[in-house]
């Protein structure tokens, strides 16, 4: 039985224009060509609300993430063994953990930021994120940073 990952691969021409513009807006922000999401949205002719609605849900597909570092951020319930489970999952997928930042839990929930290095032997990162998102106590996982590593 096939598992539903919640992800699709579609051709660029099938993607609505607003989503493509959200990707472009994110690039403008990451490159520093604009300072705010409002500037990026205005420059590309989309509403600011469209940008915020879709910004966490669309990324450009790259055939391989090998040689990159990814920063994953999410909220996690303050439960014994939950962070350990997530860290073990990353290790099982063969990614190298570079940094871990955790806030002090407030109301039983902590903010977590984990930066990983994708290695030649790393398995499918999107599958790993899907498993994390389905884990009880782990709230939506976001890729908030991505960069190439220097060799």
């Amino acid at each position: 039985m096939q598992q539903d990952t919640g992800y699709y691969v579609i051709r660029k021409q099938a993607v609505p224009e607003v989503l493509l513009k959200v990707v472009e807006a994110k690039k403008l922000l990451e490159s520093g060509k604009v300072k705010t999401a409002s500037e990026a949205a205005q420059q590309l002719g989309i509403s600011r609300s469209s940008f915020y609605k879709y910004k966490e849900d669309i990324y450009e597909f790259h055939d391989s993430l090998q040689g990159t570092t990814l920063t994953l951020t999410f909220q996690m319930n303050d439960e014994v063994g939950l962070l350990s489970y997530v860290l073990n999952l990353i290790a099982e997928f063969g990614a190298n953990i570079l940094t871990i930042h955790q806030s002090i839990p407030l109301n039983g929930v902590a903010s977590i930021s984990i930066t990983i290095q994708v290695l030649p032997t790393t398995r499918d990162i999107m599958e790993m994120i899907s498993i994390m998102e389905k884990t009880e106590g782990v709230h939506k996982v976001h890729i908030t940073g991505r960069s190439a590593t220097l060799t």
Side-chain angles (χ1 to χ4, degrees), residues 61-70 93-96 116-126 146-151:
F61 176 77
H62 297 275
D63 286 340
S64 174
L65 291 172
Q66 180 181 325
T68 62
T69 59
L70 299 176
F93 272 75
N96 184 31
I116 62 172
Q117 180 183 29
V118 180
L119 304 170
T121 55
T122 302
R123 292 177 25 217
D124 183 1
I125 292 297
M126 299 315 283
R146 179 178 171 180
S147 63
T149 54
L150 302 174
T151 55

Side-chain angles (χ1 to χ4, degrees), residues 31-87:
S31 69
K33 291 179 181 175
V34 297
K35 300 265 188 251
T36 66
S38 293
E39 285 180 76
Q42 183 177 14
Q43 186 172 326
L44 293 165
I46 60 173
S47 69
R48 200 170 60 102
S49 63
S50 291
F51 174 78
Y52 283 111
K53 182 177 181 179
Y54 299 116
K55 74 179 183 103
E56 297 298 333
D57 293 320
I58 186 160
Y59 298 90
E60 261 188 310
F61 176 77
H62 297 275
D63 286 340
S64 174
L65 291 172
Q66 180 181 325
T68 62
T69 59
L70 299 176
T71 300
L72 308 174
T73 59
F74 47 94
Q75 305 276 305
M76 176 183 291
N77 292 351
D78 184 24
E79 298 174 5
V80 173
L82 190 54
L83 179 58
S84 177
Y85 170 80
V86 169
L87 297 177

